[in-house]
Amino acid sequence: MTAPVMEAVELTQTYEVARGFLSAPASVKAVSGISFRLAPRATLAVVGESGSGKSTLARMLTMIEPPGSGALFINGADVAEADAATRRRYRGEVQMVFQNPYGSLNPRQTIGAAIEEPLLVNTSLSSAERRRQALEMMTRVGLRAEHHARYPHMFSGGQRQRIAIARALVLRPKILVLDEPVSALDVSVRAQVLNLLVELQESLDVAYVFVSHDLGVVRHMADDVMVMYLGRAVERGPRDAIFDAPKHPYTRALMSATPIADPGARRERIVLEGELPSPFNPPSGCPFNPRCPLVMERCRAEMPPLERKGGRLVACWAAQDTPGPTPMQRQPAFA
Amino acid sequence: MADTPLLSIRNLSVSFATSRGPFRAVDGVDLDVSSGELVAIVGESGSGKSVAMLAVMGLLPWTATVTADRLAFDGHDMLALSPRERRRIIGRDLAMIFQEPMSSLNPCFTVGFQIGEALKTHLGLDRAERRVRSIELLREVGIPEPERRLKAFPHQLSGGMSQRVMIAMALACRPKLIIADEPTTALDVTIQAQILDLLVRLQRDNGVGLVLITHDMGVVAETAQRVCVHYAGQQVEMQETAGLFRDPHHPYTAALLAALPERASGRILPSIPGVVPGLADRPKGCLFSPRCRFATERCRTVPPPRSGPELGLALCHTPLVGGVPQRRTQAA
């Protein structure tokens, strides 16, 4: 395996939340003990529902906020040990595309200015050179030169996401963190943007951390998949291992709950009861135990470690070290 | 569908007065829904799918002009009703579930009060009866500890819980038809599965007619019996669900299905170029022609005719059979 462009070791983030004037502040563990290695030009998909800590993880990876504990390595160097100037350089290596293209662009800034701004801040290029690079990147993402002087409101959602991608790539980063990049887009436009991302990854040699809740999109884009639940990774491994034979009961429930666009597919559906527990007082033991169909006595007492089982890492006492799925209670699908 | 359908719409059009002239958001839509039937309306944003159903409910603003050859619900002509008569039907026999549960509930009132409103207005229940029925409804939609939840305000509920409350409100007077506008779009997949399960169960067990507006082909495939595909305000195709996914007849339906990552085989998805036409750039002939890979000169100049039911009522000059455009031989 080639040297990873990004490596996370036990990243953890805890937030203090004030609970009124007299009560002691509560702490929320938004992300806890996340580790992974990202190879150049590879795509790691981070999957999870709202409240699973995906976005907090994305903020730590892009150095928007430092991790509470744990370490982040970029090109093999520890970010925490770097001096201010070096850290500035690292920021150029990791860029981000946000979920909502209607909120992430300044309505009073032209597209050209938005795309040139990273160059203005991070480089000492002349304005002519900045403009040249911005125009080149706009062409790459499928925007035309005359769009340079226009404002965001003149663009559709898909085009805005292209602008956001151009802005993120104009510094030629090695890593792009995409936080739900296509979830706000219509199906036909979504396919256009996904195709663009695939093309750019090949032509610009960039690795993706692809945060999404849409398993169809993840299966299409990812090399590796990490499934998160309440701030923890419950399963992580190669895409095919996870999609063909998910081992963690949460991953299986997530997959069975995702509707498939094929009415002929006879599927079994696992309907989870309840909702994500409050992160203020997570359940003891495994965080998934109150909703888990395979729950045992041990799950309520002890946190399962992330262990290698059947070609991927999985944090579950009930998962077995066999390649096939384990038997469990299932309900028939609709109709 | 031997008996008269519960909801019957013929040639429904809605146009909005804008500063740049009238904009046709819905253009000649037909729909029949019977009791116990689940019909899905699919389309991208701007396809007019929500506006068409809001017109049925009579919830459009005054800038909208609604015309139809027939807009009948349960024997009532919805266009001829006075507002007072309409209000007696809406919320009782005909209910709607909206997309954003968080913003559809009134933040100032408790859940119990908001469910009770419909019970008081339509059924005239007194306070004690309302309480009993509200608890029963919350239990039916799967809310734990319903007695305690009656006193909860919307901000104390999660998205999934709020949507259940919305469904409970829609069910309050045992409606004959429910229109659900993207009921699960704002929710996580595991919660989406719970809500869809609930809606399908209600439709199957209680014989409620259900119109499900969605953009998610996966949701359609797993729930609906019949599907209408909308594009730029027009109904471009209508078929039984299995047939639609097996052999789509309109090129837009075919392209939409091909663009789904889960149905793709290669790394590059077959995407549809361009975007849905807006007010200014509406093409002259077929509205899909600028993006259609089968478009001919005729498609660009002459509006397409409606095909017969064997071709999914496709609004197309050359409807597809097995992915191949067919020369039209006779008018349907």
Side-chain angles (χ1 to χ4, degrees), chain A residues 44-56 58-59 95-102 104 157 160-161 164-165 176-186 190 193-194 197 208-218 221 228 250 254, chain B residues 185-189:
Chain A
L44 170 75
V46 180
V47 182
E49 297 181 273
S50 39
S52 63
K54 307 183 301 256
S55 298
T56 306
R59 291 168 67 84
Q95 291 289 308
M96 184 151 179
V97 174
F98 296 90
Q99 173 171 11
N100 183 353
Y102 293 86
S104 63
R160 286 180 207 219
Q161 208 55 303
I165 291 168
L176 198 58
V177 177
L178 301 133
D179 188 1
E180 304 266 12
V182 293
S183 64
L185 307 178
D186 274 321
R190 187 176 73 178
V193 173
L194 290 176
L197 288 172
Y208 291 152
V209 176
F210 194 95
V211 177
S212 181
H213 69 276
D214 185 332
L215 291 176
V217 171
V218 165
M221 295 293 291
M228 290 181 69
Y250 176 65
L254 206 57
Chain B
T185 305
L187 308 176
D188 281 319
V189 279

Side-chain angles (χ1 to χ4, degrees), chain A residues 49-50 186 188 190-192 195 201 216 220-221 254 259-263 267 269 271-272 274-275 291 334-335, chain B residues 44-45 158 161 188-190 192-194 197 204 218-219 221-222 245 260-261 263 266-269 272 274 291:
Chain A
E49 297 181 273
S50 39
D186 274 321
S188 69
R190 187 176 73 178
Q192 295 170 9
N195 285 346
Q201 181 161 46
H220 182 71
M221 295 293 291
L254 206 57
I260 300 179
D262 180 3
R267 306 196 306 136
R269 173 182 296 271
V271 175
L272 287 180
E275 300 184 15
R291 300 174 77 190
F334 295 125
Chain B
E44 299 181 90
S45 32
S158 64
M161 282 297 158
D188 281 319
V189 279
T190 58
Q192 164 170 292
Q194 296 172 357
D197 256 347
R204 207 171 29 200
V219 170
E222 298 209 346
F245 283 85
L260 296 173
R263 285 170 79 100
R267 268 292 255 172
I268 295 294
L269 300 169
I272 311 177
R291 306 176 74 190

Side-chain angles (χ1 to χ4, degrees), chain B residues 278-301:
Chain B
L279 176 57
D281 55 353
R282 248 170 135 77
K284 223 166 75 196
C286 169
L287 295 182
F288 186 57
S289 63
R291 306 176 74 190
C292 181
R293 66 193 189 95
F294 302 110
T296 62
E297 201 39 52
R298 193 153 65 107
C299 302
R300 283 184 264 275
T301 46

